[in-house]
mmCIF file of all heavy atoms in Angstrom:
data_model
loop_
_atom_site.group_PDB
_atom_site.id
_atom_site.type_symbol
_atom_site.label_atom_id
_atom_site.label_comp_id
_atom_site.label_asym_id
_atom_site.label_seq_id
_atom_site.Cartn_x
_atom_site.Cartn_y
_atom_site.Cartn_z
ATOM 1 N N MET A 1 -41.927 -42.433 -118.079
ATOM 2 C CA MET A 1 -42.950 -42.930 -117.169
ATOM 3 C C MET A 1 -42.973 -44.446 -117.231
ATOM 4 O O MET A 1 -43.210 -45.026 -118.255
ATOM 5 C CB MET A 1 -44.315 -42.324 -117.605
ATOM 6 C CG MET A 1 -45.475 -42.885 -116.886
ATOM 7 S SD MET A 1 -46.997 -41.943 -117.160
ATOM 8 C CE MET A 1 -47.416 -42.341 -118.852
ATOM 9 N N LYS A 2 -42.738 -45.096 -116.096
ATOM 10 C CA LYS A 2 -42.718 -46.545 -116.024
ATOM 11 C C LYS A 2 -44.055 -47.014 -115.440
ATOM 12 O O LYS A 2 -44.494 -46.559 -114.393
ATOM 13 C CB LYS A 2 -41.579 -47.004 -115.130
ATOM 14 C CG LYS A 2 -41.456 -48.466 -114.975
ATOM 15 C CD LYS A 2 -40.286 -49.040 -115.751
ATOM 16 C CE LYS A 2 -39.998 -50.470 -115.331
ATOM 17 N NZ LYS A 2 -40.609 -51.422 -116.161
ATOM 18 N N ILE A 3 -44.692 -47.942 -116.115
ATOM 19 C CA ILE A 3 -45.988 -48.481 -115.710
ATOM 20 C C ILE A 3 -45.819 -49.906 -115.202
ATOM 21 O O ILE A 3 -45.091 -50.699 -115.820
ATOM 22 C CB ILE A 3 -46.966 -48.491 -116.909
ATOM 23 C CG1 ILE A 3 -47.120 -47.096 -117.483
ATOM 24 C CG2 ILE A 3 -48.306 -49.089 -116.504
ATOM 25 C CD1 ILE A 3 -47.656 -46.089 -116.526
ATOM 26 N N ASP A 4 -46.469 -50.237 -114.085
ATOM 27 C CA ASP A 4 -46.414 -51.590 -113.554
ATOM 28 C C ASP A 4 -47.691 -52.344 -113.968
ATOM 29 O O ASP A 4 -48.740 -52.193 -113.375
ATOM 30 C CB ASP A 4 -46.307 -51.537 -112.021
ATOM 31 C CG ASP A 4 -46.144 -52.939 -111.395
ATOM 32 O OD1 ASP A 4 -46.216 -53.914 -112.120
ATOM 33 O OD2 ASP A 4 -45.912 -52.974 -110.180
ATOM 34 N N GLY A 5 -47.595 -53.108 -115.056
ATOM 35 C CA GLY A 5 -48.735 -53.838 -115.595
ATOM 36 C C GLY A 5 -49.237 -54.927 -114.691
ATOM 37 O O GLY A 5 -50.391 -55.343 -114.765
ATOM 38 N N THR A 6 -48.386 -55.423 -113.754
ATOM 39 C CA THR A 6 -48.831 -56.471 -112.863
ATOM 40 C C THR A 6 -49.959 -55.957 -111.952
ATOM 41 O O THR A 6 -50.775 -56.741 -111.447
ATOM 42 C CB THR A 6 -47.701 -57.005 -111.982
ATOM 43 O OG1 THR A 6 -47.158 -55.947 -111.200
ATOM 44 C CG2 THR A 6 -46.607 -57.640 -112.848
ATOM 45 N N LYS A 7 -50.048 -54.646 -111.766
ATOM 46 C CA LYS A 7 -51.109 -54.075 -110.912
ATOM 47 C C LYS A 7 -52.481 -54.257 -111.587
ATOM 48 O O LYS A 7 -53.487 -54.385 -110.906
ATOM 49 C CB LYS A 7 -50.837 -52.609 -110.605
ATOM 50 C CG LYS A 7 -49.638 -52.471 -109.662
ATOM 51 C CD LYS A 7 -49.409 -51.025 -109.276
ATOM 52 C CE LYS A 7 -48.243 -50.932 -108.310
ATOM 53 N NZ LYS A 7 -48.049 -49.555 -107.866
ATOM 54 N N ILE A 8 -52.518 -54.309 -112.916
ATOM 55 C CA ILE A 8 -53.762 -54.584 -113.628
ATOM 56 C C ILE A 8 -54.206 -55.991 -113.253
ATOM 57 O O ILE A 8 -55.376 -56.214 -112.938
ATOM 58 C CB ILE A 8 -53.573 -54.454 -115.156
ATOM 59 C CG1 ILE A 8 -53.186 -53.008 -115.517
ATOM 60 C CG2 ILE A 8 -54.853 -54.871 -115.902
ATOM 61 C CD1 ILE A 8 -52.720 -52.815 -116.942
ATOM 62 N N LYS A 9 -53.279 -56.929 -113.287
ATOM 63 C CA LYS A 9 -53.590 -58.306 -112.951
ATOM 64 C C LYS A 9 -54.067 -58.428 -111.501
ATOM 65 O O LYS A 9 -55.040 -59.148 -111.214
ATOM 66 C CB LYS A 9 -52.353 -59.189 -113.175
ATOM 67 C CG LYS A 9 -52.613 -60.644 -112.920
ATOM 68 C CD LYS A 9 -51.385 -61.462 -113.268
ATOM 69 C CE LYS A 9 -51.636 -62.960 -113.127
ATOM 70 N NZ LYS A 9 -50.442 -63.732 -113.552
ATOM 71 N N ILE A 10 -53.396 -57.728 -110.604
ATOM 72 C CA ILE A 10 -53.807 -57.794 -109.171
ATOM 73 C C ILE A 10 -55.240 -57.320 -108.993
ATOM 74 O O ILE A 10 -56.045 -58.012 -108.339
ATOM 75 C CB ILE A 10 -52.816 -56.959 -108.320
ATOM 76 C CG1 ILE A 10 -51.449 -57.631 -108.275
ATOM 77 C CG2 ILE A 10 -53.360 -56.731 -106.924
ATOM 78 C CD1 ILE A 10 -50.343 -56.726 -107.747
ATOM 79 N N LEU A 11 -55.563 -56.184 -109.588
ATOM 80 C CA LEU A 11 -56.934 -55.663 -109.464
ATOM 81 C C LEU A 11 -57.941 -56.570 -110.156
ATOM 82 O O LEU A 11 -59.047 -56.787 -109.642
ATOM 83 C CB LEU A 11 -57.003 -54.257 -110.021
ATOM 84 C CG LEU A 11 -56.238 -53.159 -109.255
ATOM 85 C CD1 LEU A 11 -56.283 -51.840 -110.014
ATOM 86 C CD2 LEU A 11 -56.790 -53.012 -107.858
ATOM 87 N N ARG A 12 -57.579 -57.104 -111.318
ATOM 88 C CA ARG A 12 -58.449 -57.973 -112.056
ATOM 89 C C ARG A 12 -58.771 -59.210 -111.210
ATOM 90 O O ARG A 12 -59.927 -59.628 -111.077
ATOM 91 C CB ARG A 12 -57.821 -58.381 -113.381
ATOM 92 C CG ARG A 12 -58.641 -59.401 -114.182
ATOM 93 C CD ARG A 12 -57.995 -59.755 -115.522
ATOM 94 N NE ARG A 12 -56.694 -60.374 -115.424
ATOM 95 C CZ ARG A 12 -56.464 -61.662 -115.091
ATOM 96 N NH1 ARG A 12 -57.495 -62.439 -114.819
ATOM 97 N NH2 ARG A 12 -55.249 -62.140 -115.055
ATOM 98 N N LYS A 13 -57.733 -59.801 -110.622
ATOM 99 C CA LYS A 13 -57.935 -61.013 -109.811
ATOM 100 C C LYS A 13 -58.779 -60.728 -108.550
ATOM 101 O O LYS A 13 -59.554 -61.565 -108.106
ATOM 102 C CB LYS A 13 -56.594 -61.627 -109.445
ATOM 103 C CG LYS A 13 -55.857 -62.173 -110.656
ATOM 104 C CD LYS A 13 -55.310 -63.500 -110.370
ATOM 105 C CE LYS A 13 -54.629 -64.054 -111.621
ATOM 106 N NZ LYS A 13 -55.226 -65.274 -112.036
ATOM 107 N N LYS A 14 -58.572 -59.525 -107.947
ATOM 108 C CA LYS A 14 -59.351 -59.193 -106.768
ATOM 109 C C LYS A 14 -60.852 -59.094 -107.104
ATOM 110 O O LYS A 14 -61.676 -59.389 -106.273
ATOM 111 C CB LYS A 14 -58.878 -57.873 -106.149
ATOM 112 C CG LYS A 14 -57.603 -58.029 -105.380
ATOM 113 C CD LYS A 14 -57.217 -56.764 -104.678
ATOM 114 C CE LYS A 14 -55.910 -57.006 -103.916
ATOM 115 N NZ LYS A 14 -55.499 -55.830 -103.151
ATOM 116 N N LEU A 15 -61.127 -58.717 -108.362
ATOM 117 C CA LEU A 15 -62.534 -58.653 -108.781
ATOM 118 C C LEU A 15 -63.013 -59.976 -109.361
ATOM 119 O O LEU A 15 -64.137 -60.070 -109.825
ATOM 120 C CB LEU A 15 -62.716 -57.528 -109.820
ATOM 121 C CG LEU A 15 -62.498 -56.101 -109.290
ATOM 122 C CD1 LEU A 15 -62.685 -55.118 -110.423
ATOM 123 C CD2 LEU A 15 -63.404 -55.796 -108.155
ATOM 124 N N LYS A 16 -62.113 -60.983 -109.351
ATOM 125 C CA LYS A 16 -62.422 -62.307 -109.840
ATOM 126 C C LYS A 16 -62.876 -62.279 -111.331
ATOM 127 O O LYS A 16 -63.846 -62.939 -111.697
ATOM 128 C CB LYS A 16 -63.494 -62.992 -108.983
ATOM 129 C CG LYS A 16 -62.997 -63.245 -107.569
ATOM 130 C CD LYS A 16 -64.042 -63.921 -106.740
ATOM 131 C CE LYS A 16 -63.410 -64.299 -105.399
ATOM 132 N NZ LYS A 16 -63.910 -63.660 -104.264
ATOM 133 N N LEU A 17 -62.130 -61.520 -112.117
ATOM 134 C CA LEU A 17 -62.418 -61.420 -113.543
ATOM 135 C C LEU A 17 -61.352 -62.161 -114.346
ATOM 136 O O LEU A 17 -60.176 -62.154 -113.980
ATOM 137 C CB LEU A 17 -62.407 -59.940 -113.996
ATOM 138 C CG LEU A 17 -63.452 -59.024 -113.428
ATOM 139 C CD1 LEU A 17 -63.202 -57.583 -113.837
ATOM 140 C CD2 LEU A 17 -64.844 -59.445 -113.886
ATOM 141 N N THR A 18 -61.788 -62.786 -115.416
ATOM 142 C CA THR A 18 -60.801 -63.334 -116.341
ATOM 143 C C THR A 18 -60.306 -62.230 -117.262
ATOM 144 O O THR A 18 -60.878 -61.155 -117.299
ATOM 145 C CB THR A 18 -61.464 -64.448 -117.237
ATOM 146 O OG1 THR A 18 -62.466 -63.813 -118.046
ATOM 147 C CG2 THR A 18 -62.073 -65.562 -116.400
ATOM 148 N N ILE A 19 -59.235 -62.505 -117.979
ATOM 149 C CA ILE A 19 -58.716 -61.513 -118.922
ATOM 150 C C ILE A 19 -59.805 -61.192 -119.943
ATOM 151 O O ILE A 19 -60.019 -60.033 -120.292
ATOM 152 C CB ILE A 19 -57.425 -61.990 -119.606
ATOM 153 C CG1 ILE A 19 -56.275 -61.961 -118.592
ATOM 154 C CG2 ILE A 19 -57.097 -61.156 -120.814
ATOM 155 C CD1 ILE A 19 -54.940 -62.466 -119.125
ATOM 156 N N GLN A 20 -60.533 -62.221 -120.405
ATOM 157 C CA GLN A 20 -61.587 -62.011 -121.388
ATOM 158 C C GLN A 20 -62.683 -61.128 -120.837
ATOM 159 O O GLN A 20 -63.200 -60.216 -121.518
ATOM 160 C CB GLN A 20 -62.177 -63.345 -121.861
ATOM 161 C CG GLN A 20 -63.284 -63.206 -122.913
ATOM 162 C CD GLN A 20 -62.744 -62.616 -124.206
ATOM 163 O OE1 GLN A 20 -61.799 -63.132 -124.786
ATOM 164 N NE2 GLN A 20 -63.347 -61.506 -124.666
ATOM 165 N N GLN A 21 -63.099 -61.342 -119.587
ATOM 166 C CA GLN A 21 -64.165 -60.551 -118.961
ATOM 167 C C GLN A 21 -63.697 -59.092 -118.827
ATOM 168 O O GLN A 21 -64.496 -58.168 -119.127
ATOM 169 C CB GLN A 21 -64.535 -61.094 -117.599
ATOM 170 C CG GLN A 21 -65.282 -62.423 -117.657
ATOM 171 C CD GLN A 21 -65.407 -63.079 -116.299
ATOM 172 O OE1 GLN A 21 -64.503 -63.024 -115.474
ATOM 173 N NE2 GLN A 21 -66.551 -63.719 -116.089
ATOM 174 N N LEU A 22 -62.456 -58.879 -118.408
ATOM 175 C CA LEU A 22 -61.940 -57.502 -118.289
ATOM 176 C C LEU A 22 -61.898 -56.877 -119.668
ATOM 177 O O LEU A 22 -62.291 -55.726 -119.854
ATOM 178 C CB LEU A 22 -60.569 -57.496 -117.663
ATOM 179 C CG LEU A 22 -59.888 -56.144 -117.544
ATOM 180 C CD1 LEU A 22 -60.733 -55.144 -116.753
ATOM 181 C CD2 LEU A 22 -58.489 -56.282 -116.930
ATOM 182 N N ALA A 23 -61.451 -57.624 -120.656
ATOM 183 C CA ALA A 23 -61.382 -57.095 -122.041
ATOM 184 C C ALA A 23 -62.738 -56.654 -122.527
ATOM 185 O O ALA A 23 -62.901 -55.580 -123.130
ATOM 186 C CB ALA A 23 -60.795 -58.145 -122.962
ATOM 187 N N ASP A 24 -63.755 -57.452 -122.233
ATOM 188 C CA ASP A 24 -65.143 -57.106 -122.642
ATOM 189 C C ASP A 24 -65.580 -55.824 -121.924
ATOM 190 O O ASP A 24 -66.269 -55.002 -122.536
ATOM 191 C CB ASP A 24 -66.101 -58.238 -122.319
ATOM 192 C CG ASP A 24 -65.876 -59.456 -123.198
ATOM 193 O OD1 ASP A 24 -65.203 -59.358 -124.248
ATOM 194 O OD2 ASP A 24 -66.355 -60.561 -122.812
ATOM 195 N N GLU A 25 -65.261 -55.700 -120.650
ATOM 196 C CA GLU A 25 -65.690 -54.544 -119.875
ATOM 197 C C GLU A 25 -65.048 -53.239 -120.349
ATOM 198 O O GLU A 25 -65.688 -52.198 -120.387
ATOM 199 C CB GLU A 25 -65.373 -54.744 -118.374
ATOM 200 C CG GLU A 25 -66.226 -55.804 -117.706
ATOM 201 C CD GLU A 25 -67.690 -55.348 -117.558
ATOM 202 O OE1 GLU A 25 -67.970 -54.167 -117.370
ATOM 203 O OE2 GLU A 25 -68.558 -56.228 -117.630
ATOM 204 N N VAL A 26 -63.745 -53.302 -120.651
ATOM 205 C CA VAL A 26 -62.996 -52.052 -120.999
ATOM 206 C C VAL A 26 -62.859 -51.900 -122.515
ATOM 207 O O VAL A 26 -62.203 -50.960 -122.958
ATOM 208 C CB VAL A 26 -61.639 -51.990 -120.269
ATOM 209 C CG1 VAL A 26 -61.835 -51.932 -118.768
ATOM 210 C CG2 VAL A 26 -60.735 -53.114 -120.687
ATOM 211 N N ARG A 27 -63.402 -52.823 -123.270
ATOM 212 C CA ARG A 27 -63.360 -52.727 -124.744
ATOM 213 C C ARG A 27 -61.949 -52.720 -125.320
ATOM 214 O O ARG A 27 -61.605 -51.907 -126.150
ATOM 215 C CB ARG A 27 -64.121 -51.517 -125.259
ATOM 216 C CG ARG A 27 -65.572 -51.440 -124.784
ATOM 217 C CD ARG A 27 -66.454 -52.315 -125.631
ATOM 218 N NE ARG A 27 -67.832 -52.030 -125.415
ATOM 219 C CZ ARG A 27 -68.681 -52.934 -124.952
ATOM 220 N NH1 ARG A 27 -68.297 -54.141 -124.689
ATOM 221 N NH2 ARG A 27 -69.958 -52.616 -124.822
ATOM 222 N N LEU A 28 -61.114 -53.650 -124.783
ATOM 223 C CA LEU A 28 -59.758 -53.833 -125.285
ATOM 224 C C LEU A 28 -59.594 -55.311 -125.619
ATOM 225 O O LEU A 28 -60.413 -56.159 -125.194
ATOM 226 C CB LEU A 28 -58.718 -53.464 -124.242
ATOM 227 C CG LEU A 28 -58.649 -51.986 -123.826
ATOM 228 C CD1 LEU A 28 -57.754 -51.795 -122.628
ATOM 229 C CD2 LEU A 28 -58.152 -51.124 -124.997
ATOM 230 N N SER A 29 -58.575 -55.644 -126.365
ATOM 231 C CA SER A 29 -58.396 -57.069 -126.739
ATOM 232 C C SER A 29 -57.770 -57.817 -125.543
ATOM 233 O O SER A 29 -56.975 -57.250 -124.818
ATOM 234 C CB SER A 29 -57.516 -57.203 -127.970
ATOM 235 O OG SER A 29 -56.178 -56.913 -127.626
ATOM 236 N N PRO A 30 -58.174 -59.108 -125.392
ATOM 237 C CA PRO A 30 -57.579 -59.903 -124.323
ATOM 238 C C PRO A 30 -56.065 -60.041 -124.468
ATOM 239 O O PRO A 30 -55.356 -60.040 -123.465
ATOM 240 C CB PRO A 30 -58.257 -61.264 -124.465
ATOM 241 C CG PRO A 30 -59.432 -61.048 -125.346
ATOM 242 C CD PRO A 30 -59.190 -59.807 -126.140
ATOM 243 N N SER A 31 -55.571 -60.115 -125.695
ATOM 244 C CA SER A 31 -54.139 -60.245 -125.885
ATOM 245 C C SER A 31 -53.392 -59.004 -125.420
ATOM 246 O O SER A 31 -52.324 -59.097 -124.797
ATOM 247 C CB SER A 31 -53.802 -60.565 -127.344
ATOM 248 O OG SER A 31 -54.201 -59.523 -128.175
ATOM 249 N N ALA A 32 -53.958 -57.799 -125.660
ATOM 250 C CA ALA A 32 -53.324 -56.583 -125.179
ATOM 251 C C ALA A 32 -53.272 -56.551 -123.668
ATOM 252 O O ALA A 32 -52.251 -56.200 -123.065
ATOM 253 C CB ALA A 32 -54.067 -55.355 -125.705
#
């Protein structure tokens, strides 16, 4: 199964979220 991680970035940017904000929302580390 191949995952396209750039789609995470696309959705994040559409919601105008920083990586840190997304990390806080989904309870994952910003580096991950």
Side-chain angles (χ1 to χ4, degrees):
M1 171 169 72
K2 179 108 168 95
I3 303 300
D4 185 354
T6 60
K7 291 183 178 183
I8 298 168
K9 183 176 185 177
I10 290 167
L11 293 174
R12 176 179 61 78
K13 293 225 177 240
K14 283 185 180 184
L15 295 180
K16 296 181 172 113
L17 295 173
T18 65
I19 288 177
Q20 182 64 56
Q21 289 170 322
L22 177 58
D24 291 343
E25 290 290 327
V26 298
R27 304 280 194 240
L28 295 170
S29 74
S31 62

